[in-house]
Amino acid sequence: MCFAMAAFYFLFTLIMIWVKSSGDPRAAIQNGFWFFKFLILVGITVGAFFIPDGTFTAVWYYFGIVGSFLFILIQLVLLVDFAHSWSRAWVEQAEEGNKCWYGALFVSMFINYAASLASVVLLYIYYTKPDDCTANKVFISLNLIFCIAISIISILPKIQEVQPHSGLLQASIITLYTMYVTWSAMANEPDRNCNPTLLGIVSSNSTASTTGQVVQWWDAPSIVGLVIFIICSLFASIRSSKNTHVDKLLLSDGKEGGDIPSDNVEDGVYRAVDSETETVNYSYSFFHFCLFLASLYIMMTLTNWYSPSTDYSTMTSSWTAVWVKISSSWVGLLLYLWTLVAPLLLPDRDFS
C-alpha cells in the first residue's frame, strides 16, 4: 500500500514538472479531477498486491532507505525552524514586559536537557555492555559530545551578537531530537545482545523469527517517529507563508494565495479570484515529491526498517538502517550549527 502511495505521488511529481501558472492545463489536474485521482490510487494499490515476490522486495527496500533519509532531512529543516521560531516568539513576549516568559523558557529548556540526560544514561545502561557493543558506545559518546558543543556555541558572545534570539532552548530541542535518533538507530542494530529493544526490556512480549532473532513490529521508536512525523507535517501546514525558511523549503515565491483584493467586491459580495494567473504560490511538482518521500518514510517506519527476505519468511534489522539514522542525526547537528555560524561567515547576507 505504501508502494502504491509512493508511485501515485511520484507520477504526479512527473506530471506537474514546470507548471508555472494556473493557465497551464495541468494546473486543473492539481486542483480538480478528484474522482479520477482516487480511482488511479485505488488501481495502483490493487495492482501492487499482484507484484510477485522476488528481487523487487530487496530493491524497493533500498528505495525506501534513500527516500526516508531525504525526508528526514526535510523534517530536520522544519525542526530547526520550529526551535528558532519557538525561542524567538517567547523572547519577544518577555521583552515586551511579561517576564514570566523567561521562566517558561527556562523550564522548557530544563525539561529538554533533563530528558536528554536521562536518555543518555538509559542508552548506556541498556544498549551497551562492558566488553561489547563498541559501536553503540561510539554513537552515544559522539552525539553527547556534539550536543554539548552546539549548546556551548549557541551562547557564545559572538553568536549572541549576530543571533540575539539564539539560546539554549533551541539547542535543548536539537539535543533531545538527537538522543531520540540515536536510540532509534540502535533499536535497528542486528546484534540483539546490544539491542534489547524497549519492549524486550520492560516485558517479554516478543516473537522469535525462524532464525531465532526477535521481531517486534511496533517498537517504541517507530511510534515516536510517527508522532514526530505528524507534528512536523502540522507545523509545515499551519506555518505562516510569510516565513522565508518554509517558503524556500516548499520552493514558494512567498506570496500569500487566497487573498481577496479590496476592489473585487460587487454589491457587497466577494468574487473569487485566481491568485495563480501569473505564477503558482508553490511548486506543484516539489509538493508531490515531498509526499512521495513521506510515503517512503511511513513505509519504513511501519515496517520498523526491517529488511525482508525475498519470500518474506524472515524480517531482520540491518546496519544500513542504523547508519542512515545516525548520519541523519549528524546532518541535523550540522544544520543547526550552520544556522548559528552562517551570519558570522557570511556577514554580507541578510539572515533576518
Side-chain angles (χ1 to χ4, degrees):
M1 293 181 67
C2 289
F3 164 78
M5 290 289 292
F8 174 81
Y9 287 121
F10 187 71
L11 172 64
F12 276 86
T13 298
L14 299 178
I15 292 175
M16 296 298 163
I17 290 179
W18 303 117
V19 173
K20 298 296 185 181
S21 71
S22 60
D24 192 307
R26 292 173 294 169
I29 301 176
Q30 170 75 8
N31 301 314
F33 297 96
W34 296 104
F35 172 78
F36 296 101
K37 286 193 281 192
F38 279 112
L39 192 62
I40 292 173
L41 177 59
V42 171
I44 299 176
T45 303
V46 173
F49 281 95
F50 291 93
I51 298 175
D53 295 337
T55 56
F56 172 83
T57 303
V59 173
W60 185 241
Y61 171 79
Y62 287 102
F63 271 91
I65 286 284
V66 175
S68 298
F69 177 78
L70 295 177
F71 185 77
I72 289 174
L73 297 185
I74 295 176
Q75 281 195 147
L76 289 169
V77 173
L78 294 172
L79 183 69
V80 172
D81 181 61
F82 169 74
H84 282 294
S85 300
W86 182 1
S87 178
R88 186 181 301 110
W90 283 15
V91 169
E92 288 176 353
Q93 291 284 349
E95 291 176 346
E96 289 176 1
N98 191 346
K99 302 302 181 182
C100 294
W101 289 102
Y102 284 125
L105 280 170
F106 176 79
V107 171
S108 300
M109 177 203 68
F110 177 80
I111 291 174
N112 289 335
Y113 275 124
S116 301
L117 181 59
S119 300
V120 171
V121 173
L122 291 174
L123 290 177
Y124 272 121
I125 292 175
Y126 292 109
Y127 288 87
T128 64
K129 303 291 182 183
D131 55 350
D132 198 3
C133 309
T134 304
N136 287 358
K137 295 175 184 176
V138 171
F139 292 152
I140 300 171
S141 301
L142 279 179
N143 280 354
L144 176 60
I145 294 171
F146 293 155
C147 289
I148 294 174
I150 64 167
S151 297
I152 295 174
I153 293 173
S154 67
I155 56 175
L156 290 177
K158 282 289 186 181
I159 299 296
Q160 291 290 313
E161 288 179 9
V162 294
Q163 295 271 37
H165 295 106
S166 174
L168 291 177
L169 177 62
Q170 299 100 307
S172 69
I173 295 173
I174 301 302
T175 298
L176 184 59
Y177 181 77
T178 301
M179 290 301 107
Y180 155 71
V181 176
T182 307
W183 170 44
S184 179
M186 292 187 296
N188 278 112
E189 190 171 327
D191 185 0
R192 290 299 175 182
N193 185 46
C194 303
N195 174 21
T197 74
L198 183 63
L199 293 179
I201 293 171
V202 300
S203 69
S204 58
N205 183 22
S206 60
T207 56
S209 67
T210 56
T211 60
Q213 286 187 315
V214 177
V215 176
Q216 294 173 334
W217 291 100
W218 277 101
D219 211 347
S222 298
I223 299 174
V224 176
L226 289 176
V227 171
I228 293 175
F229 164 77
I230 294 172
I231 293 174
C232 287
S233 300
L234 289 174
F235 176 72
S237 300
I238 65 178
R239 194 74 171 94
S240 170
S241 62
K242 292 181 179 179
N243 183 270
T244 56
H245 301 300
V246 179
D247 282 338
K248 291 176 182 177
L249 174 63
L250 299 177
L251 302 184
S252 169
D253 61 1
K255 296 181 179 179
E256 289 197 44
D259 289 343
I260 302 175
S262 57
D263 59 351
N264 198 54
V265 181
E266 298 179 9
D267 300 327
V269 178
Y270 292 102
R271 302 299 179 184
V273 295
D274 186 351
S275 61
E276 297 184 325
T277 52
E278 296 182 359
T279 181
V280 295
N281 290 311
Y282 63 95
S283 171
Y284 292 168
S285 182
F286 189 71
F287 168 75
H288 288 288
F289 184 69
C290 288
L291 294 178
F292 163 70
L293 297 180
S295 300
L296 295 177
Y297 177 78
I298 292 175
M299 177 184 73
M300 299 305 294
T301 304
L302 289 176
T303 57
N304 210 10
W305 296 71
Y306 283 145
S307 176
S309 61
T310 55
D311 59 354
Y312 300 102
S313 60
T314 58
M315 302 290 288
T316 58
S317 299
S318 89
W319 276 103
T320 304
V322 175
W323 281 107
V324 165
K325 292 182 178 182
I326 285 295
S327 59
S328 70
S329 72
W330 295 338
V331 171
L333 291 167
L334 286 174
L335 181 63
Y336 175 66
L337 179 63
W338 173 250
T339 64
L340 297 177
V341 302
L344 286 175
L345 300 178
L346 303 172
D348 296 332
R349 291 187 59 181
D350 180 15
F351 289 93
S352 59

